[in-house]
Amino acid sequence: MGGIRGLNRRIALIGNPNSGKSSLFNQLTGLRQKTGNFPGVTVERRSGAMRLPDGQEWQVVDFPGTYSLYPTSLDERVVFDVLSNPNSADFPDLVIYVADALRLDQHLLLLSQIRDLGLPVILALNLIDAAADSGVRYQTRSLSQKLGLTCIEVNGRTGEGVGLLLQQIEHHANGKQVANIAVKSYSPSSVLRELVQDIRAAVPWVTHDFQALILAHHVTELTCLEPREVVAIQTLNAKHGFTSLRAQVEEIMERFQFIDRVVAESRNRDHPPGRNTLTSRIDRLVTHVLWGPILFVAFLLFIFQAVFSWATLPMEWIERIFSELGGAVKYALGEGWLSSLLADGILAGLGGVLVFIPQIVLLFLLVALLEESGYMARAVYLFDRILRKVGLNGRSIVALVSGTACAIPAVMSTRTITNAKERLITILVTPFISCSARLPVYAVLVGLMVPAGKVFGLISYQALTFMGLYVLGASAALGGAWVFNRLLKSAEPGYLLMELPDYQIPHWRNVIHTVWSKVASFVREAGKIIILISIVFWFLASTSFPGRMAEAESRARIEASASNLSETELEARIAAYQIETSFAGI
């Protein structure tokens, strides 16, 4: 997706996962947002227009959460690709780095790397209310001086501090902001300094030492390098005996030593770091080896009950609306292929898409609430050890649960799985999970084949069968994963690296945006396929060899006359005979 028209200046919103980036993005852009994909990848790209106090408009791009410029997932790869390539279409004029005030020492690694790339940065110290409740406060002036940049306290959930942040962006836009002070958080060894100087000489567009070092680490993965530059950097790496992993570890350790010192010296000594005891008490239950899975199953049962019970009425309304629209089109246009195409092809296909929206909205609404509250991260952690035995990853649980609504957004969510093999297996087995589109088929089959009656007078046989179909789908997914795990080979080690956020009250604006993007994804991706298939099926069901349809109608009328059928019964018999005679019936 290209940039928003008329907005030539771009702000990158960057930070670690669970730093509150999405909340701040919503505060800055409101409803003036667009959703698409980054060029060449399936990673979602959210961008929006932001107006400064002086009337200037900038484009804000919300980048996926990442921990460092050493990417391990598709999401992190996007951030790295853009920031390492000054010619990228999404290369920012300014970076707003969002950090959780409660975990500042963990969130500043990426900031220090971005600073060393020479990009102008404003630090948005987010979630200051949660930090204050836990006894953590910082002297922002001290942080600004020690990090060599502007630091603003904000609250993405309430909008506190956003006005001051906009003023600082305006100062930067007008050239009034004092240039970022050069602060060294990392100094390469003498051997690496020689390598860096040689790379800067071989690649003229490199203007900072850390840019050169990034090229040395990722020379075979970057698209911004010309073939001759790749060969030159590989030759220099070999000449200087460059070992990527060792250099990476040394760099990160040195950066964290700097970060720990800055955070300790800037923390308000009158407010020693506290601990969120409520989160700790809840986690004793939620992550318990026995009660944790039981609680998760209880949540799942509640979600399924809500999806299949609460969505029934709006689904019936949608079906009735499209049925009446189809009847109105046939009445207005009369009999003919055009009215049949509009009513039985296009409108029927559109209704077949929209009828599942209530279920999808409910499912992703409830899942988004769990994610916003901080629970879903615990579910990922809880099931990682179990799912890893069949070749999956703890993050696979998000895709498998989402697959009960629609496999398309569920498959898209697998991009956060770092291991390529585990990501592929999750994609392959997610379609085994029974999704909303299968419900009508299940309902018909269960109603026809399973007799009425109840077990112990409480649970009907049909309800048990329905539940059994979902258990069968989940079992097939796990069984398929076990098979694929043995067929697919990978030397890449699987691991789970994630941060468990504190529990918090879900922010409704974030929840609504999440649900909207998931529904829009379903309508865009699945909708066009369903409507196309509906039109094709309409053609096959309404056409046959010359004269066959007329013969079928004549035969139905003769039988109806002999049996004294009513007009409604006659129309039903004609439709039945014609569908048998059509290409679809054949």
Side-chain angles (χ1 to χ4, degrees):
M1 186 190 76
I4 296 176
R5 180 172 297 183
L7 303 179
N8 298 320
R9 311 188 80 173
R10 184 176 293 104
I11 290 176
L13 206 61
I14 297 177
N16 287 189
N18 301 313
S19 61
K21 240 178 354 78
S22 296
S23 299
L24 186 58
F25 175 76
N26 293 333
Q27 290 286 351
L28 292 173
T29 61
L31 298 176
R32 307 166 69 196
Q33 302 178 7
K34 290 187 177 181
T35 303
N37 289 340
F38 284 94
V41 293
T42 58
V43 177
E44 186 177 87
R45 176 189 192 273
R46 289 206 305 164
S47 60
M50 179 195 68
R51 189 180 300 275
L52 297 179
D54 64 357
Q56 294 186 62
E57 282 201 347
W58 283 53
Q59 180 189 12
V60 183
V61 180
D62 182 16
F63 281 80
T66 185
Y67 291 105
S68 76
L69 290 181
Y70 300 108
T72 59
S73 68
L74 294 179
D75 280 15
E76 293 185 334
R77 167 65 56 183
V78 165
V79 179
F80 166 75
D81 286 344
V82 171
L83 296 186
S84 62
N85 180 11
N87 297 318
S88 169
D90 286 302
F91 192 78
D93 299 289
L94 174 66
V95 173
I96 297 179
Y97 189 86
V98 186
D100 182 352
L102 197 58
R103 297 174 174 80
L104 190 59
D105 54 343
Q106 302 170 32
H107 284 207
L108 291 185
L109 171 64
L110 178 59
L111 171 67
S112 68
Q113 292 177 325
I114 293 174
R115 286 281 289 106
D116 285 351
L117 289 177
L119 289 166
V121 185
I122 295 176
L123 172 59
L125 198 59
N126 196 24
L127 303 173
I128 53 175
D129 57 337
D133 292 342
S134 298
V136 178
R137 294 183 186 274
Y138 289 97
Q139 301 170 16
T140 54
R141 179 175 296 181
S142 173
L143 272 177
S144 298
Q145 292 175 346
K146 295 180 184 305
L147 294 174
L149 44 74
T150 302
C151 176
I152 305 294
E153 288 188 333
V154 298
N155 189 328
R157 297 168 62 84
T158 64
E160 180 184 351
V162 171
L164 184 57
L165 177 61
L166 291 175
Q167 290 179 9
Q168 291 298 323
I169 297 172
E170 183 181 83
H171 290 164
H172 171 83
N174 297 328
K176 298 177 182 177
Q177 184 183 20
V178 178
N180 289 38
I181 304 168
V183 174
K184 285 287 185 181
S185 59
Y186 167 64
S187 299
S189 63
S190 58
V191 174
L192 287 182
R193 280 198 295 272
E194 293 177 6
L195 171 63
V196 163
Q197 295 306 315
D198 287 346
I199 291 177
R200 290 187 62 174
V203 186
W205 56 265
V206 174
T207 56
H208 291 80
D209 289 352
F210 190 61
Q211 274 183 297
L213 199 57
I214 285 294
L215 297 186
H217 279 287
H218 303 287
V219 58
T220 60
E221 307 164 22
L222 288 163
T223 57
C224 59
L225 292 172
E226 297 179 4
R228 61 178 180 80
E229 293 172 337
V230 172
V231 173
I233 294 173
Q234 288 177 325
T235 302
L236 291 172
N237 283 351
K239 173 185 174 182
H240 292 280
F242 176 71
T243 304
S244 179
L245 180 59
R246 180 179 177 179
Q248 179 180 333
V249 171
E250 290 177 353
E251 174 202 334
I252 291 176
M253 294 298 292
E254 185 173 337
R255 289 188 187 277
F256 270 123
Q257 289 177 2
F258 167 79
I259 291 167
D260 289 342
R261 184 173 67 255
V262 168
V263 171
E265 293 175 355
S266 302
R267 183 182 290 129
N268 194 326
R269 298 183 184 278
D270 294 334
H271 295 82
R275 185 183 179 191
N276 193 324
T277 55
L278 177 60
T279 293
S280 301
R281 289 198 300 269
I282 296 175
D283 275 346
R284 289 180 195 142
L285 173 65
V286 169
T287 61
H288 191 271
V289 66
L290 173 62
W291 298 112
I294 293 176
L295 185 62
F296 179 77
V297 171
F299 277 131
L300 281 186
L301 289 175
F302 172 75
I303 291 173
F304 290 151
Q305 176 67 24
V307 167
F308 301 134
S309 298
W310 300 352
T312 301
L313 189 58
M315 290 177 73
E316 291 176 352
W317 289 344
I318 294 173
E319 288 179 335
R320 188 178 302 116
I321 288 171
F322 277 91
S323 177
E324 292 179 357
L325 281 176
V329 167
K330 288 184 176 180
Y331 178 79
L333 299 180
E335 294 295 331
W337 70 268
L338 179 59
S339 64
S340 179
L341 169 62
L342 292 174
D344 301 325
I346 297 176
L347 283 176
L350 187 59
V353 174
L354 299 183
V355 74
F356 297 114
I357 286 182
Q359 289 183 325
I360 293 175
V361 167
L362 271 173
L363 177 66
F364 284 115
L365 172 64
L366 296 173
V367 171
L369 289 174
L370 292 179
E371 289 181 339
E372 278 283 308
S373 67
Y375 173 77
M376 212 61 188
R378 273 75 182 178
V380 170
Y381 161 76
L382 189 65
F383 283 91
D384 180 66
R385 183 179 300 176
I386 299 173
L387 293 179
R388 197 170 295 283
K389 294 180 179 179
V390 295
L392 297 175
N393 182 284
R395 297 185 188 274
S396 302
I397 196 70
V398 178
L400 297 178
V401 172
S402 300
T404 58
C406 178
I408 292 174
V411 167
M412 291 175 64
S413 71
T414 62
R415 64 177 185 265
T416 59
I417 299 175
T418 57
N419 183 278
K421 176 184 173 181
E422 294 169 350
R423 183 167 62 248
L424 176 60
I425 293 176
T426 306
I427 291 172
L428 291 173
V429 303
T430 294
F432 284 120
I433 301 296
S434 298
C435 67
S436 298
R438 302 178 194 180
L439 287 180
V441 179
Y442 288 174
V444 171
L445 291 177
V446 171
L448 286 175
M449 302 179 66
V450 180
K454 294 184 177 181
V455 178
F456 304 120
L458 297 174
I459 306 175
S460 69
Y461 295 133
Q462 294 178 338
L464 282 175
T465 305
F466 218 94
M467 184 65 185
L469 290 171
Y470 275 86
V471 173
L472 179 63
S475 301
L478 295 178
W482 183 84
V483 173
F484 284 128
N485 187 39
R486 277 147 183 78
L487 293 178
L488 301 176
K489 303 299 180 184
S490 173
E492 182 183 0
Y495 60 90
L496 177 68
L497 176 64
M498 68 178 303
E499 188 176 5
L500 297 182
D502 287 337
Y503 292 103
Q504 58 187 357
I505 298 173
H507 192 217
W508 282 105
R509 177 178 287 186
N510 293 347
V511 171
I512 290 170
H513 278 295
T514 298
V515 173
W516 173 258
S517 65
K518 299 293 186 183
V519 172
S521 173
F522 167 75
V523 173
R524 285 196 311 267
E525 304 299 331
K528 56 190 178 185
I529 298 173
I530 294 173
I531 292 176
L532 178 62
I533 292 175
S534 177
I535 293 173
V536 171
F537 187 77
W538 164 83
F539 174 79
L540 295 175
S542 60
T543 56
S544 185
F545 295 108
R548 295 287 294 274
M549 286 294 192
E551 291 177 9
E553 181 177 353
S554 177
R555 179 159 59 94
R557 290 187 180 279
I558 293 173
E559 293 181 4
S561 177
S563 304
N564 295 321
L565 297 181
S566 65
E567 189 66 24
T568 303
E569 292 172 329
L570 170 62
E571 291 178 0
R573 180 161 295 191
I574 291 174
Y577 283 4
Q578 286 184 335
I579 194 68
E580 290 178 3
T581 308
S582 68
F583 288 126
I586 294 172

